[in-house]
Structures are given as C-alpha cells and as structure tokens.
C-alpha cells in the first residue's frame, strides 16, 4: 500500500472511532488520499456526483424503504398475521411458525430485514409472550432470525446494492434469492418444531374452517403484492426500479383506499422516516463510491486477485474463504459497508475463477444478513432487545440455534449453485 492509501485508511479508522458516520469518514479519507497523492481534489466530487446521479438502480432503494413503511402504518401486517395464523397456527408451537411464515410472505414486499422486524416485531412479541406462552427472549430471537429472510426473497435492497457494484442483473438476482430464502425458512421451522416438542410450547386454538375464506379474502391484497411486484418485472412491464415505485404506490393505495387505515399524520411520519433512512444509506453509498475510486487507483482488487489466484484455490475453496471472511466481518461491521467496500474487492477474483455472479451475489447477501444476528454487533439483536426489553445475553443464547441452522443452509447453497440458479435459468438466464 502507498503512503497515501495508508493515510486514508488511518483517517477513516480514526474518524469512525470518534463517532463520525462511516460514509462521511470514507469521503474524508478519500479526500486525504487525493491530497497526499497530489491529485485533483475535485475528483472526489466528480466520482460522488457521477455515481449518485447517473445510476438509475439506486432509485429502487428509497422506494422499497417507503413501500415497507407504508405497509407498517396500515393494517396490512395485521391482516397478514391473521392469514398466517390460519395456515400454521394450529400446530404445536404454531404461533412461532406463524412468525416465520409471515416473514417469508412479508419478505416479498419490503426488501429490508429491519422493516420486517420493526413492522411485525412488536405484534409478534406481544402475541407470543401473552399469558407466558413463550419466553420473551425466545420470541425476540425468533423474530430477529426470521427477519433475516426479508432481504433474500425478492425484492431485496442489499441485492440492489450488490447489482450496483457487480453489474449483475437485478431481476435474475431477485429470482436467485427465492429458493435459498425458502430453504432458510424451512431450517428455522425445523428448529422451532424441535424446540416446541422439547419445551412443550402451546398449541393454539385452530381457526374454524368456515372463517378461512373471509380471512383469506381480507388478506388477499397483501398476498397479491409480491405477485404484482414480481409479475411486473418478469413480465417485462417494469424494470426493478420501476417495480419499486409500483410497490410503494400499491402499498399506499391498499392502505388508504382499500383498508382505510392510514391518516395524514401517519403518512407524514412514514415519508419523514423513509427520507431519513434514505439519506443515511445515500451518504454511505456516496462514501463508498469515492473510496472505491481510491481502491481502484491503488489496484487493490487486481492485486488481491493475483494473490488469491497464486494460492490455486478452486471456486468452492474461494467461496468457503469468502463465507468465513464475511461471517467474521459481519460480527464487527455494518452490512452495507461490507457490501459496498469489501465485496467489490472480491468480485474480480470471483470472475477470474468462473464463479457465477448471481450465485456469488446470493451467497454474499446471505452472509451479510447473518451478520445482522451475529454478536457482538448484530443490528437486529439490538432492535429486538429494545422491542422485547430482554437482556442481550439471553437474546443471543436463544438466537444461536437459528444462526447455526442458517449457516448450515448457507453451506448447502454454497456447495450447490443450482439451488440459486435453477429459477433464473428457468426464466432464461444464461449464466
């Protein structure tokens, strides 16, 4: 590494330790690099503006965030829970299974793990802990674990960001996440089934058969949202970015017109929250774009590719190395930072080894999502700790069985690329 690059890394680390947001720290470090290297400082602004204002795909991020918020303020999540309860609530530990099923369905709408946890987390926590039926820490751990599925089954904000740094097709990435997302859901349901028998979780009162049509009818607009969203993409009517706008408009129309459950103050708060979240992610993307220019100038991706190629790794060996690296980094860093800074350095090596970019993208996103429930800095752990008001150590203990089960599912997905690529190839993917 050059002296200029070492100075940039030192600046980023120092500013981050002093509490400056990582996006701002990366911009400052990149400017210092340009100053020490004797380059024009305006390059930083040029890279930032060109990346932010000429990349159409970035527009999908705020639109999916808004769609998730509009679902949360309406009664869509409540109706979805009733429908899931009618499906699987009658089995032992059924309410815990409801938690997973609603996350799988909700995943087809929000694209965000945080939105999933915040949207249904409070309701599921209250339902599961009512009358002491489930330990609060178990309920919170299950909600955190099931929320991980959100960004894997399409739509997916992390996959949009991966497409930004890899030039992979967003549409085929979305398709590639469907089967792995369902596999993760099945792994979690297996853990719940075992825990239900071992810990004697209660059996919920079954929903009468005569009520099923009414419950399904009331939840139908919610259930149809993934169909509308994905049908538009794969039917050729919309691009993924346009589909994000359709998702937001659909959520607003259903909440306001069909369910009539949204007031103007609710709508204002949703717009304000979506704007703040978008600004936070936007600054991180901006910092990553500028810093990635520095990384490229330093030729680090190609240098890493040469080093890893000299190790004579097979594609599977490289993927195992990537899994280990990202799982470790997920314990320490925020997922978007990993996706925008670390992953672009790994992509040239993956391409050189002939690894499919859709398969690689899904593996990367799953790793990053697992980081959300991995101590010590798993963001979903802190979200659910606040919602459930349980000790963090109890929450971590209850989360570990789900984490190990999902790591096992990740190993299967890594070893068998066809699990990811079967559906994209069915829809015409040539990779």
């Amino acid at each position: 590494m050059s002296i200029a690059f070492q100075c940039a890394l030192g600046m980023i680390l120092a500013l981050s330790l002093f509490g400056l947001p990582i996006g701002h720290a990366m911009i400052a470090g990149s400017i210092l690099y340009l100053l020490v290297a004797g380059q024009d400082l305006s390059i930083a602004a040029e890279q930032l503006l060109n990346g932010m204002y000429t990349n159409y795909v970035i527009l999908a991020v705020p639109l999916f965030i808004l769609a998730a918020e509009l679902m949360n303020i309406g009664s869509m999540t409540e109706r979805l829970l009733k429908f899931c309860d009618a499906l699987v609530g009658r089995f032992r530990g059924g309410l815990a299974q409801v938690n997973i099923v609603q996350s799988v369905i909700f995943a087809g709408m929000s694209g965000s793990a945080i939105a999933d946890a915040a949207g249904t987390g409070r309701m599921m926590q209250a339902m599961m802990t009512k009358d002491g039926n489930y330990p609060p820490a178990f309920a919170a751990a299950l909600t955190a674990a099931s929320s991980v599925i959100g960004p894997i089954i399409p739509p997916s904000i992390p996959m949009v960001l991966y497409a930004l740094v890899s030039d992979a097709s967003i549409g085929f990435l979305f398709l590639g996440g469907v089967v792995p997302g369902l596999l993760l859901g099945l792994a979690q349901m297996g853990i719940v089934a075992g825990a239900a028998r071992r810990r004697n979780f209660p059996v919920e009162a079954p929903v009468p058969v005569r009520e099923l049509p009414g419950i399904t009818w009331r939840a139908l607009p919610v259930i149809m949202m993934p169909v509308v969203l994905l049908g538009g993409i794969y039917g050729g009517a919309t691009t993924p970015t346009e589909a994000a706008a359709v998702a937001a408009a659909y959520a607003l129309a259903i909440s306001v017109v069909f369910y009539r459950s949204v007031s103007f103050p609710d709508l204002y708060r949703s717009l304000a929250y979506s704007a703040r979240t978008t600004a936070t992610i936007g600054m991180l993307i901006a910092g990553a774009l500028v810093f990635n220019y520095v990384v490229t100038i330093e030729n680090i991706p190609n240098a890493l590719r040469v080093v890893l190629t000299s190790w004579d790794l097979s594609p599977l060996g490289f993927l195992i190395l990537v899994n280990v690296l990202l799982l470790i980094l997920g314990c320490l860093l925020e997922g978007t930072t990993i996706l925008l800074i670390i992953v672009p350095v790994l992509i040239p090596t993956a391409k050189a080894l002939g690894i499919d970019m859709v398969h690689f993208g899904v593996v990367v996103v799953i790793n990053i999502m697992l980081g959300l429930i991995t101590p010590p800095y798993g963001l979903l752990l802190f979200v659910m700790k606040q919602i459930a008001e349980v000790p963090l150590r109890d929450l971590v203990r209850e989360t570990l069985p789900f984490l190990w089960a999902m790591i096992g599912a990740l190993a299967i997905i890594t070893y068998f690329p066809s699990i990811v690529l079967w559906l994209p190839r069915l829809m015409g993917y040539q990779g």
Side-chain angles (χ1 to χ4, degrees):
M1 292 187 293
S2 66
I3 295 297
F5 191 67
Q6 293 178 44
C7 291
L9 289 179
M11 171 71 81
I12 293 171
L13 181 61
L15 292 177
S16 300
L17 290 175
F18 279 109
L20 191 71
I22 185 65
H24 296 75
M26 285 191 291
I27 293 174
S30 301
I31 292 174
L32 178 62
Y33 172 89
L34 296 173
L35 179 65
V36 175
Q39 298 191 35
D40 187 351
L41 298 184
S42 66
I43 291 176
E46 178 186 354
Q47 292 296 316
L48 191 155
L49 293 173
N50 283 342
M52 293 295 288
Y53 291 105
T54 62
N55 206 311
Y56 181 62
V57 73
I58 295 178
L59 279 175
V61 175
L63 292 169
F64 280 133
I65 291 172
L66 178 58
E69 275 304 299
L70 292 173
M71 285 185 287
N72 288 341
I73 63 172
S75 60
M76 296 178 73
T77 53
E78 183 180 342
R79 295 169 193 267
L80 175 60
L81 286 176
K82 289 181 178 178
F83 174 73
C84 295
D85 182 47
L87 287 181
V88 296
R90 65 188 68 234
F91 305 109
R92 181 165 297 280
L95 200 54
Q97 303 287 15
V98 168
N99 198 334
I100 299 170
V101 173
Q102 65 83 23
S103 286
V104 170
I105 299 177
F106 197 85
M109 310 174 202
S110 70
S112 167
I114 304 300
D116 191 345
T120 59
R122 293 183 189 277
M123 277 188 285
M124 287 306 310
Q125 188 71 22
M127 290 170 63
M128 291 183 68
T129 57
K130 184 180 179 181
D131 300 326
N133 288 338
Y134 294 85
F138 177 85
L142 177 59
T143 300
S146 65
S147 298
V148 166
I149 301 172
I152 299 169
I153 295 178
S156 168
I157 292 173
M159 285 185 184
V160 171
L161 298 179
Y162 172 81
L164 174 67
V165 300
S166 69
D167 292 327
S169 164
I170 300 179
F172 289 128
L173 279 168
F174 281 2
L175 280 176
V178 173
V179 178
L182 295 176
L183 181 60
L184 290 176
L186 288 173
Q188 293 179 10
M189 294 179 82
I191 295 295
V192 166
R197 291 193 300 271
R198 187 175 64 254
R199 301 168 71 169
N200 197 30
F201 288 154
V203 178
E204 305 298 321
V207 176
V209 176
R210 65 178 181 277
E211 295 182 13
L212 290 179
I215 292 173
T216 304
W217 174 254
R218 287 188 290 273
L220 188 61
V222 187
I223 300 168
M224 286 299 295
M225 186 171 177
V227 178
V228 171
L229 184 65
L230 300 179
I233 296 174
Y234 303 115
T238 63
T239 65
T241 303
E242 291 165 347
V246 171
Y250 183 88
L252 180 62
I254 293 300
S255 296
V256 174
V257 179
F258 195 84
Y259 292 145
R260 299 183 180 182
S261 57
V262 175
S263 64
F264 280 108
D266 290 335
L267 182 59
Y268 173 79
R269 283 191 292 270
S270 288
L271 292 170
Y273 176 83
S274 299
R276 288 193 298 270
T277 305
T278 299
T280 301
I281 296 176
M283 282 306 303
L284 191 54
I285 294 174
L289 289 169
V290 179
F291 187 68
N292 282 341
Y293 170 80
V294 172
V295 170
T296 303
I297 291 298
E298 284 287 304
N299 206 31
I300 288 176
N302 286 331
L304 181 64
R305 178 180 59 81
V306 170
V307 170
L308 292 177
T309 303
S310 69
W311 290 359
D312 198 25
L313 289 171
S314 66
L316 179 60
F318 175 74
L319 286 173
I320 293 173
L321 179 65
V322 168
N323 281 338
V324 173
L325 174 65
L326 295 184
L327 287 172
I328 293 173
L329 290 175
C331 299
L332 305 170
L333 298 176
E334 195 270 332
T336 307
T337 305
I338 298 173
L339 196 54
L340 295 174
I341 300 300
I342 306 299
V343 173
V345 178
L346 301 172
I347 286 174
T349 307
K351 288 182 176 178
L353 291 172
I355 295 171
D356 184 87
M357 284 294 98
V358 170
H359 178 228
F360 187 66
V362 172
V363 168
V364 163
V365 169
I366 293 174
N367 272 285
I368 291 172
M369 291 305 101
L370 293 183
L372 292 174
I373 58 170
T374 305
Y377 296 115
L379 184 57
L380 280 174
L381 296 178
F382 292 104
V383 170
M384 291 312 303
K385 176 184 180 297
Q386 183 176 2
I387 290 176
E389 299 179 351
V390 296
L392 184 61
R393 63 179 179 277
D394 295 342
L395 180 55
V396 170
R397 185 182 67 251
E398 295 283 11
T399 303
L400 287 178
F402 296 103
L403 180 60
W404 288 119
M406 288 189 287
I407 289 176
L410 171 62
I412 295 172
I413 293 163
T414 302
Y415 189 76
F416 297 103
S418 58
I419 294 176
V420 174
L421 299 177
W422 171 73
L423 194 54
R425 285 171 176 164
L426 196 63
M427 299 298 291
Y429 179 59
Q430 300 300 317

